[in-house]
Amino acid sequence: MAAAVFEEIFESWTPLREAPPIEEGIPADKFWIVTVSAAVATPPRYRKIVDVMGTIDGFGVLKSTPGISIEKNCPFCWHHANTDLPFHLPVTKVFRELQVERKLAI
């Protein structure tokens, strides 16, 4: 199962590897990729990446590429973003924090 997940994530980057860089019209200091609930390897041309994951997100760990660190840990958050359930990853809050911390335009 883990191999299928890694293949799915890897394949999701295929259009970005093969297409002309979409970030050419965006200043380098403004172009970031933010992953949520999995830290995955990205094509080498992308340098500014923030990986966000809950500290109790076992599914996210299984979906992640080994050896990639998490830049933003969310305490006591699991793999879902459903605010009606406990232990959700508060995506809106996290993105607002990233806007301030990293001066990101979202």
Side-chain angles (χ1 to χ4, degrees), residues 56-80:
I56 58 173
D57 184 354
F59 286 146
V61 171
L62 289 173
K63 291 179 7 180
S64 294
T65 304
I68 295 181
S69 62
I70 305 299
E71 287 79 24
K72 182 124 180 109
N73 288 298
C74 300
F76 305 107
C77 294
W78 197 50
H79 194 70
H80 68 90

Side-chain angles (χ1 to χ4, degrees), residues 7-91:
E7 183 177 325
E8 177 184 322
I9 293 169
F10 180 78
E11 291 302 317
S12 69
W13 287 108
T14 299
L16 291 176
R17 280 194 308 275
E18 296 173 354
I22 59 172
E23 70 278 11
E24 285 181 349
I26 303 170
D29 63 329
K30 301 292 182 200
F31 187 84
W32 288 79
I33 293 174
V34 179
T35 68
V36 177
S37 293
V40 296
T42 58
R45 73 177 185 225
Y46 300 107
R47 303 270 186 236
K48 293 185 174 185
I49 300 154
V50 178
D51 297 299
V52 177
M53 191 180 309
T55 57
I56 58 173
D57 184 354
F59 286 146
V61 171
L62 289 173
K63 291 179 7 180
S64 294
T65 304
I68 295 181
S69 62
I70 305 299
E71 287 79 24
K72 182 124 180 109
N73 288 298
C74 300
F76 305 107
C77 294
W78 197 50
H79 194 70
H80 68 90
N82 184 341
T83 57
D84 293 333
L85 297 175
F87 306 111
H88 67 277
L89 195 149
V91 177

